[in-house]
Amino acid sequence: MIGFIGVANPHMTPDSLILLRRIRSGDEAALAALYVLYGRLVYSLTLQILRNPTLAQEATQDTFLKIWRNPQAYDETKGQFSSWLLTLARYTAIDRLRREVRHGDSLAPLDENIPHEADEPLFSEHDVSHLHAMLALLPSEQRLCVELAYFHGLTHSQIAEKLAQPLGTVKTRLRLGLQKLKELMQ
Amino acid sequence: MSFEVDCNEIRALIPSYALGAVDADEARMVEYGLTVCPELRAELEAYRAMVVQMAQYAPQVEPPASVLDGLLTQARQQKQRAEYGMSRWQVAAAVFLALTIISNLYWMSRTQSIEQRLATLGDAQILALKTAQNGQMTGATARLIWQPQSESAVLVVEDFPLNDSNQTFQAWVTRGVEIRSVGMFTVQDGNGLLIFDAQNLFEPFDAFGVTLEPSGGSEKPTNPAVVRWQRS
């Protein structure tokens, strides 16, 4: 069989489909290969959300185990595999975050209430600045809405409730924030 | 019955929809709206790509080897319980063996003295990766992921030299004087993946390597190996 995929370009769906088909038949090598291709991306995302290496490692395993148990969950007609996988990873991490964080009535900064391991810094100063620099360029009210939606998985109404803001205001801020972010990333 | 759809209203929800931040009723509205305003699909894909990009903008951190170990251990446990109804002791023994081999596999993928470490595996059936050409590092690496129970084996290559349109990389396995091709592949940005039938691997095999061949492949290797493993 001939196949290729670029590790530096993980959006190539056809080879992901090949691996998923093999995973459906219980092929552990295919699962390992899928992890080799996407494991770092998934781990980095879950670490960004959970800010705890141990939790991020567990969330990473859980993400791939969900695929192992139910590889047919991916519907290729609805988008690229990498998008689906990262969405799955994001929500897996967010679900884990919700189990770990105690909810209070007041809004806590994203860094609070999240267990930190007293070890080396998670990211270097340079690394953190790369993503957060873009978020920092947004007006603060837009940035907050984007962070609550992206890192905490909150919907419009949940954000509005948490911030005690009108629903329409939250929708507008989130839309403008994402539009601005898209411009910055281009 | 049809509903009035304002495409501009749907467009305004596209960014949040791509992020998964819309409420359930809004999601239904967007999904219906996309059937009426198909021109918005391209915009939706652009925002979905942005969400993926946000993940990639996160600082990239390599997970520890134990993550893959744990993943494959749990996957095997689930599979064995489902398919064979193995006893707890049988599962534990199989997991211990797999974990030992996989630990060596993943550790070896990160050491430069690959030949020394491979020699310690003896007849281990789970084998991993890479090599050097004539004792000199080419800069290219490869990882062979293979288990006897699997139908397929996977070769993942990194930092390979580029091949032009008249060339292809070809993977070989040898035992004694017998040499067999297991497949061909090309690379993109130096990286590539070959999935092949695990039955093509001799058990055990003496050497595994990849050469650069003319497009369409060769019956025998015609060039020095880019990556190669030799049993000592």
Side-chain angles (χ1 to χ4, degrees), chain A residues 38-64:
Chain A
Y38 295 104
R40 185 172 64 172
L41 205 57
V42 169
Y43 177 69
S44 301
L45 173 60
T46 58
L47 187 60
Q48 182 78 8
I49 293 171
L50 291 162
R51 296 184 171 274
N52 180 296
T54 300
L55 295 180
Q57 291 163 28
E58 292 172 1
T60 299
Q61 291 175 340
D62 288 343
T63 299
F64 285 94

mmCIF file of all heavy atoms in Angstrom, chain A residues 38-64:
data_model
loop_
_atom_site.group_PDB
_atom_site.id
_atom_site.type_symbol
_atom_site.label_atom_id
_atom_site.label_comp_id
_atom_site.label_asym_id
_atom_site.label_seq_id
_atom_site.Cartn_x
_atom_site.Cartn_y
_atom_site.Cartn_z
ATOM 1 N N TYR A 38 -0.696 13.299 15.632
ATOM 2 C CA TYR A 38 -1.478 14.382 16.243
ATOM 3 C C TYR A 38 -1.276 14.536 17.757
ATOM 4 O O TYR A 38 -1.837 15.449 18.350
ATOM 5 C CB TYR A 38 -2.972 14.157 15.980
ATOM 6 C CG TYR A 38 -3.377 14.228 14.532
ATOM 7 C CD1 TYR A 38 -3.644 13.063 13.820
ATOM 8 C CD2 TYR A 38 -3.488 15.446 13.879
ATOM 9 C CE1 TYR A 38 -4.016 13.118 12.491
ATOM 10 C CE2 TYR A 38 -3.855 15.519 12.553
ATOM 11 C CZ TYR A 38 -4.119 14.351 11.859
ATOM 12 O OH TYR A 38 -4.483 14.413 10.531
ATOM 13 N N GLY A 39 -0.504 13.665 18.357
ATOM 14 C CA GLY A 39 -0.399 13.673 19.804
ATOM 15 C C GLY A 39 0.123 14.982 20.382
ATOM 16 O O GLY A 39 -0.402 15.492 21.375
ATOM 17 N N ARG A 40 1.152 15.517 19.757
ATOM 18 C CA ARG A 40 1.713 16.748 20.302
ATOM 19 C C ARG A 40 0.727 17.896 20.187
ATOM 20 O O ARG A 40 0.586 18.708 21.109
ATOM 21 C CB ARG A 40 3.013 17.102 19.574
ATOM 22 C CG ARG A 40 3.732 18.308 20.155
ATOM 23 C CD ARG A 40 5.089 18.524 19.557
ATOM 24 N NE ARG A 40 5.034 18.844 18.147
ATOM 25 C CZ ARG A 40 6.075 19.220 17.438
ATOM 26 N NH1 ARG A 40 7.256 19.299 18.006
ATOM 27 N NH2 ARG A 40 5.955 19.498 16.164
ATOM 28 N N LEU A 41 0.030 17.946 19.055
ATOM 29 C CA LEU A 41 -0.953 19.008 18.846
ATOM 30 C C LEU A 41 -2.061 18.930 19.896
ATOM 31 O O LEU A 41 -2.459 19.933 20.487
ATOM 32 C CB LEU A 41 -1.550 18.852 17.442
ATOM 33 C CG LEU A 41 -2.121 20.086 16.751
ATOM 34 C CD1 LEU A 41 -1.081 21.172 16.630
ATOM 35 C CD2 LEU A 41 -2.629 19.704 15.370
ATOM 36 N N VAL A 42 -2.551 17.717 20.119
ATOM 37 C CA VAL A 42 -3.624 17.518 21.101
ATOM 38 C C VAL A 42 -3.127 17.843 22.502
ATOM 39 O O VAL A 42 -3.794 18.545 23.269
ATOM 40 C CB VAL A 42 -4.153 16.071 21.030
ATOM 41 C CG1 VAL A 42 -5.078 15.766 22.205
ATOM 42 C CG2 VAL A 42 -4.899 15.850 19.712
ATOM 43 N N TYR A 43 -1.955 17.353 22.847
ATOM 44 C CA TYR A 43 -1.419 17.595 24.190
ATOM 45 C C TYR A 43 -1.204 19.087 24.428
ATOM 46 O O TYR A 43 -1.522 19.616 25.493
ATOM 47 C CB TYR A 43 -0.112 16.826 24.385
ATOM 48 C CG TYR A 43 0.541 17.073 25.730
ATOM 49 C CD1 TYR A 43 -0.042 16.597 26.902
ATOM 50 C CD2 TYR A 43 1.735 17.793 25.841
ATOM 51 C CE1 TYR A 43 0.545 16.814 28.141
ATOM 52 C CE2 TYR A 43 2.310 18.019 27.067
ATOM 53 C CZ TYR A 43 1.729 17.532 28.211
ATOM 54 O OH TYR A 43 2.317 17.749 29.438
ATOM 55 N N SER A 44 -0.652 19.760 23.450
ATOM 56 C CA SER A 44 -0.384 21.191 23.601
ATOM 57 C C SER A 44 -1.688 21.963 23.819
ATOM 58 O O SER A 44 -1.744 22.889 24.633
ATOM 59 C CB SER A 44 0.348 21.729 22.368
ATOM 60 O OG SER A 44 1.571 21.053 22.172
ATOM 61 N N LEU A 45 -2.733 21.573 23.109
ATOM 62 C CA LEU A 45 -4.016 22.253 23.271
ATOM 63 C C LEU A 45 -4.607 21.986 24.649
ATOM 64 O O LEU A 45 -5.053 22.906 25.335
ATOM 65 C CB LEU A 45 -4.984 21.793 22.181
ATOM 66 C CG LEU A 45 -6.429 22.289 22.306
ATOM 67 C CD1 LEU A 45 -6.480 23.811 22.284
ATOM 68 C CD2 LEU A 45 -7.298 21.703 21.197
ATOM 69 N N THR A 46 -4.589 20.720 25.070
ATOM 70 C CA THR A 46 -5.168 20.404 26.382
ATOM 71 C C THR A 46 -4.355 21.036 27.502
ATOM 72 O O THR A 46 -4.913 21.451 28.519
ATOM 73 C CB THR A 46 -5.256 18.879 26.591
ATOM 74 O OG1 THR A 46 -3.956 18.297 26.473
ATOM 75 C CG2 THR A 46 -6.188 18.241 25.569
ATOM 76 N N LEU A 47 -3.052 21.154 27.298
ATOM 77 C CA LEU A 47 -2.222 21.794 28.306
ATOM 78 C C LEU A 47 -2.520 23.281 28.386
ATOM 79 O O LEU A 47 -2.514 23.881 29.459
ATOM 80 C CB LEU A 47 -0.740 21.565 27.968
ATOM 81 C CG LEU A 47 0.290 22.033 29.006
ATOM 82 C CD1 LEU A 47 0.085 21.322 30.339
ATOM 83 C CD2 LEU A 47 1.700 21.800 28.495
ATOM 84 N N GLN A 48 -2.802 23.876 27.221
ATOM 85 C CA GLN A 48 -3.149 25.294 27.177
ATOM 86 C C GLN A 48 -4.439 25.560 27.965
ATOM 87 O O GLN A 48 -4.583 26.575 28.615
ATOM 88 C CB GLN A 48 -3.334 25.719 25.719
ATOM 89 C CG GLN A 48 -3.650 27.188 25.514
ATOM 90 C CD GLN A 48 -2.417 28.071 25.622
ATOM 91 O OE1 GLN A 48 -1.306 27.592 25.715
ATOM 92 N NE2 GLN A 48 -2.617 29.368 25.628
ATOM 93 N N ILE A 49 -5.360 24.624 27.921
ATOM 94 C CA ILE A 49 -6.644 24.799 28.600
ATOM 95 C C ILE A 49 -6.549 24.413 30.074
ATOM 96 O O ILE A 49 -7.018 25.126 30.939
ATOM 97 C CB ILE A 49 -7.721 23.953 27.892
ATOM 98 C CG1 ILE A 49 -7.983 24.518 26.495
ATOM 99 C CG2 ILE A 49 -9.020 23.905 28.702
ATOM 100 C CD1 ILE A 49 -8.868 23.647 25.626
ATOM 101 N N LEU A 50 -5.928 23.298 30.359
ATOM 102 C CA LEU A 50 -5.903 22.775 31.722
ATOM 103 C C LEU A 50 -4.762 23.327 32.557
ATOM 104 O O LEU A 50 -4.830 23.344 33.783
ATOM 105 C CB LEU A 50 -5.815 21.243 31.676
ATOM 106 C CG LEU A 50 -7.074 20.555 31.168
ATOM 107 C CD1 LEU A 50 -6.789 19.127 30.731
ATOM 108 C CD2 LEU A 50 -8.148 20.566 32.248
ATOM 109 N N ARG A 51 -3.676 23.734 31.900
ATOM 110 C CA ARG A 51 -2.525 24.329 32.597
ATOM 111 C C ARG A 51 -1.981 23.400 33.691
ATOM 112 O O ARG A 51 -1.471 23.857 34.714
ATOM 113 C CB ARG A 51 -2.879 25.698 33.174
ATOM 114 C CG ARG A 51 -3.205 26.705 32.097
ATOM 115 C CD ARG A 51 -3.451 28.084 32.648
ATOM 116 N NE ARG A 51 -3.552 29.042 31.564
ATOM 117 C CZ ARG A 51 -2.507 29.655 31.002
ATOM 118 N NH1 ARG A 51 -1.290 29.411 31.427
ATOM 119 N NH2 ARG A 51 -2.675 30.506 30.014
ATOM 120 N N ASN A 52 -2.095 22.118 33.436
ATOM 121 C CA ASN A 52 -1.627 21.124 34.398
ATOM 122 C C ASN A 52 -1.172 19.912 33.597
ATOM 123 O O ASN A 52 -2.002 19.268 32.944
ATOM 124 C CB ASN A 52 -2.760 20.756 35.361
ATOM 125 C CG ASN A 52 -2.351 19.722 36.380
ATOM 126 O OD1 ASN A 52 -2.036 18.574 36.030
ATOM 127 N ND2 ASN A 52 -2.354 20.092 37.638
ATOM 128 N N PRO A 53 0.127 19.592 33.614
ATOM 129 C CA PRO A 53 0.625 18.503 32.756
ATOM 130 C C PRO A 53 -0.061 17.162 32.988
ATOM 131 O O PRO A 53 -0.371 16.445 32.033
ATOM 132 C CB PRO A 53 2.116 18.448 33.108
ATOM 133 C CG PRO A 53 2.448 19.829 33.558
ATOM 134 C CD PRO A 53 1.222 20.296 34.293
ATOM 135 N N THR A 54 -0.292 16.819 34.239
ATOM 136 C CA THR A 54 -0.924 15.525 34.523
ATOM 137 C C THR A 54 -2.332 15.468 33.949
ATOM 138 O O THR A 54 -2.718 14.484 33.305
ATOM 139 C CB THR A 54 -0.974 15.276 36.043
ATOM 140 O OG1 THR A 54 0.354 15.268 36.551
ATOM 141 C CG2 THR A 54 -1.634 13.939 36.342
ATOM 142 N N LEU A 55 -3.103 16.507 34.174
ATOM 143 C CA LEU A 55 -4.473 16.534 33.632
ATOM 144 C C LEU A 55 -4.441 16.555 32.105
ATOM 145 O O LEU A 55 -5.282 15.927 31.446
ATOM 146 C CB LEU A 55 -5.225 17.757 34.167
ATOM 147 C CG LEU A 55 -5.479 17.793 35.672
ATOM 148 C CD1 LEU A 55 -6.233 19.068 36.048
ATOM 149 C CD2 LEU A 55 -6.242 16.569 36.144
ATOM 150 N N ALA A 56 -3.495 17.286 31.554
ATOM 151 C CA ALA A 56 -3.394 17.361 30.099
ATOM 152 C C ALA A 56 -3.023 16.007 29.503
ATOM 153 O O ALA A 56 -3.537 15.615 28.444
ATOM 154 C CB ALA A 56 -2.366 18.417 29.694
ATOM 155 N N GLN A 57 -2.161 15.279 30.164
ATOM 156 C CA GLN A 57 -1.804 13.945 29.690
ATOM 157 C C GLN A 57 -3.022 13.027 29.708
ATOM 158 O O GLN A 57 -3.256 12.274 28.751
ATOM 159 C CB GLN A 57 -0.694 13.367 30.576
ATOM 160 C CG GLN A 57 0.648 14.069 30.410
ATOM 161 C CD GLN A 57 1.612 13.782 31.539
ATOM 162 O OE1 GLN A 57 1.538 12.725 32.157
ATOM 163 N NE2 GLN A 57 2.520 14.701 31.806
ATOM 164 N N GLU A 58 -3.805 13.109 30.763
ATOM 165 C CA GLU A 58 -5.000 12.278 30.852
ATOM 166 C C GLU A 58 -6.029 12.679 29.797
ATOM 167 O O GLU A 58 -6.674 11.829 29.181
ATOM 168 C CB GLU A 58 -5.584 12.366 32.266
ATOM 169 C CG GLU A 58 -4.681 11.719 33.325
ATOM 170 C CD GLU A 58 -5.173 11.978 34.742
ATOM 171 O OE1 GLU A 58 -6.230 12.639 34.891
ATOM 172 O OE2 GLU A 58 -4.506 11.531 35.688
ATOM 173 N N ALA A 59 -6.171 13.975 29.596
ATOM 174 C CA ALA A 59 -7.116 14.456 28.587
ATOM 175 C C ALA A 59 -6.668 14.028 27.189
ATOM 176 O O ALA A 59 -7.510 13.707 26.329
ATOM 177 C CB ALA A 59 -7.253 15.973 28.665
ATOM 178 N N THR A 60 -5.380 14.021 26.962
ATOM 179 C CA THR A 60 -4.857 13.570 25.671
ATOM 180 C C THR A 60 -5.186 12.100 25.451
ATOM 181 O O THR A 60 -5.659 11.703 24.380
ATOM 182 C CB THR A 60 -3.336 13.791 25.606
ATOM 183 O OG1 THR A 60 -3.059 15.181 25.742
ATOM 184 C CG2 THR A 60 -2.760 13.294 24.277
ATOM 185 N N GLN A 61 -4.923 11.287 26.458
ATOM 186 C CA GLN A 61 -5.263 9.866 26.339
ATOM 187 C C GLN A 61 -6.757 9.679 26.133
ATOM 188 O O GLN A 61 -7.182 8.881 25.290
ATOM 189 C CB GLN A 61 -4.812 9.116 27.596
ATOM 190 C CG GLN A 61 -3.298 8.999 27.738
ATOM 191 C CD GLN A 61 -2.879 8.355 29.035
ATOM 192 O OE1 GLN A 61 -3.647 8.307 29.997
ATOM 193 N NE2 GLN A 61 -1.656 7.855 29.093
ATOM 194 N N ASP A 62 -7.558 10.413 26.887
ATOM 195 C CA ASP A 62 -9.006 10.285 26.763
ATOM 196 C C ASP A 62 -9.466 10.633 25.357
ATOM 197 O O ASP A 62 -10.384 10.001 24.816
ATOM 198 C CB ASP A 62 -9.707 11.209 27.774
ATOM 199 C CG ASP A 62 -9.578 10.701 29.194
ATOM 200 O OD1 ASP A 62 -9.240 9.506 29.373
ATOM 201 O OD2 ASP A 62 -9.805 11.489 30.126
ATOM 202 N N THR A 63 -8.846 11.650 24.765
ATOM 203 C CA THR A 63 -9.228 12.051 23.414
ATOM 204 C C THR A 63 -9.011 10.909 22.426
ATOM 205 O O THR A 63 -9.906 10.572 21.635
ATOM 206 C CB THR A 63 -8.414 13.287 22.977
ATOM 207 O OG1 THR A 63 -8.682 14.370 23.870
ATOM 208 C CG2 THR A 63 -8.782 13.709 21.554
ATOM 209 N N PHE A 64 -7.827 10.319 22.477
ATOM 210 C CA PHE A 64 -7.537 9.234 21.525
ATOM 211 C C PHE A 64 -8.329 7.962 21.863
ATOM 212 O O PHE A 64 -8.685 7.193 20.962
ATOM 213 C CB PHE A 64 -6.038 8.951 21.469
ATOM 214 C CG PHE A 64 -5.270 9.985 20.701
ATOM 215 C CD1 PHE A 64 -4.671 11.055 21.353
ATOM 216 C CD2 PHE A 64 -5.166 9.904 19.317
ATOM 217 C CE1 PHE A 64 -3.987 12.027 20.648
ATOM 218 C CE2 PHE A 64 -4.470 10.871 18.604
ATOM 219 C CZ PHE A 64 -3.876 11.936 19.272
#
